[in-house]
Amino acid sequence: MRSVRLVLVISMAIALLATCAARAESLFEKLVTPGDVIEGHAKFENKCESCHESFSKEGQRRLCLDCHKDIAKDISARTGLHGKRPDIGKVECKHCHTDHKGRKADILQFDPQTFNHKFTDFELIGAHKTVQCDSCHSREKKYRSAPLTCIGCHKKDDRHKGALGDKCAGCHNEQSWAKQKTFDHAKTHFPLEGAHKNVKCATCHVGERYKDLPRACISCHRVDDVHQGRYGEKCERCHGSSKWSTVRFDHERTKFPLKGGHQKVKCDKCHTGDLFKQKLSIECGACHKKNDPHKGQLGERCARCHTEAGWRKKVEFDHDLTRFPLIGLHATVPCEECHRSNTFKDAPRACESCHKDSHHQGKLGPVCSRCHNPNGFKLWIFNHDQQTTFALTGAHKGLTCHACHKSAAVQKVSAPTTCFGCHQSDDAHRGAFGRACENCHTTETFRQRRQR
């Protein structure tokens, strides 16, 4: 029991001494305090240990940052006013913020006129240099709470009404809100190439719409589609971005490469219907049938005579493949001399259809080829001895055709084959010896009598 009592007495004595020591320390601190703290620190005024460590000046900075955690984060991240100061690691907080100067004392010592905004997260550049502080910093809030983004201050000035997002710096700069930066369209899904480079923004971005715009040509150029939708909506297959009228479609890859005059023909001349549904024939007649001057009489194989260089250029036709091969002088005669119409097949093949018989006057019939040949009218090929029943002998050999053939031959060329038929007017006997002159006379001369 005595031991227990002794322990209790000793414990009570120690507690009493500690209380007295604490009261003495508190009384000491009150005696040495330099003055009242600011209003914001008033609740810690009787708790010196909240801001001070006894006999340790270095510990004061740690205690400040333990309380002002947002500033501690800035220093650690090297951001904000405190984090960007080059000497922040060496300077104590009290160097700038000395307390114990009264409740209303200004321990910030902030001078807007000399403050260097470079040591913040928002350096003042361009037009921002002349802006009043309270334009960005509200008096009811701390300076650090001022927004750092453009939209934070200029939301009410956003004429796009949020349609372009909040990255204003993509188009605007600090020099002037109205003066825009050159927007790099190459970083979008639609790089501006060719003529698109000179198009005003509002032409495509109607109503300040920038997001989710269609990129297909037809979405903007539907009104320019002269094909009226017949060629589909993939304009880029034929047109380039440099010039709408320049067509770059490679027709060489089709079954009908464009050559000669076809190279200058507009697409609509041949592709009159839907480009994908209409199947065009590659035959000449498919397009040129209505322009066929031959009216179809020569068929649809125009390439036998015409080339793609031009309808009337380099016309080549092998006449030997027809029913009238060009022989002799006919080979040098211009086509139109015989073909008086463009149908060509209407041209007759008979000699007299082209060569009017002004010499014989029809006495030798209509078939000129029995006597004449294509090498020349004076070159005869008729053999009277072999091709007729009246061989020319004696004086008959030197006679002209018209001496015997005196009348026009309508159906058949004919002439009398008896002496009396031609020589009745020369009969000196006046018919007394009959009509068989050959009984006495020969073809050499009438005066010569036949020997008996």
Side-chain angles (χ1 to χ4, degrees), residues 206-250:
V206 180
E208 295 290 341
R209 181 189 174 193
Y210 292 84
K211 287 186 177 181
D212 301 325
L213 280 181
R215 287 175 281 159
C217 305
I218 198 68
S219 60
C220 283
H221 296 285
R222 190 177 296 276
V223 294
D224 304 319
D225 182 14
V226 296
H227 314 300
Q228 299 178 349
R230 291 183 289 107
Y231 291 1
E233 295 186 350
K234 294 183 179 181
C235 313
E236 63 276 7
R237 289 182 302 186
C238 300
H239 301 279
S241 58
S242 298
K243 196 174 182 181
W244 190 255
S245 58
T246 301
V247 180
R248 64 181 183 184
F249 181 76
D250 188 4

Side-chain angles (χ1 to χ4, degrees), residues 272-304:
T272 56
D274 191 297
L275 184 65
F276 303 98
K277 295 181 180 179
Q278 183 188 27
K279 293 184 179 180
L280 295 181
S281 171
I282 60 175
E283 297 298 330
C284 305
C287 283
H288 299 287
K289 187 175 182 178
K290 60 182 179 180
N291 302 322
D292 181 15
H294 317 303
K295 299 179 180 179
Q297 291 189 8
L298 301 185
E300 295 185 355
R301 297 175 61 187
C302 311
R304 291 185 301 178

Side-chain angles (χ1 to χ4, degrees), residues 419-420 423 427 433-442 446 450:
C419 303
F420 188 81
H423 299 285
D427 182 11
F433 294 156
R435 298 184 176 185
C437 307
E438 64 275 10
N439 290 333
C440 299
H441 301 279
T442 64
F446 267 105
R450 189 181 299 274

Side-chain angles (χ1 to χ4, degrees), residues 293-330:
H294 317 303
K295 299 179 180 179
Q297 291 189 8
L298 301 185
E300 295 185 355
R301 297 175 61 187
C302 311
R304 291 185 301 178
C305 302
H306 303 279
T307 65
E308 293 157 319
W311 197 251
R312 296 180 177 272
K313 296 179 180 179
K314 298 181 179 180
V315 179
E316 298 178 354
F317 180 70
D318 190 357
H319 221 285
D320 292 341
L321 300 177
T322 68
R323 292 177 294 175
F324 193 90
L326 299 182
I327 303 173
L329 296 177
H330 284 145

Side-chain angles (χ1 to χ4, degrees), residues 1-10:
M1 290 297 291
R2 290 181 180 179
S3 299
V4 174
R5 290 177 181 176
L6 181 60
V7 172
L8 291 174
V9 171
I10 294 173

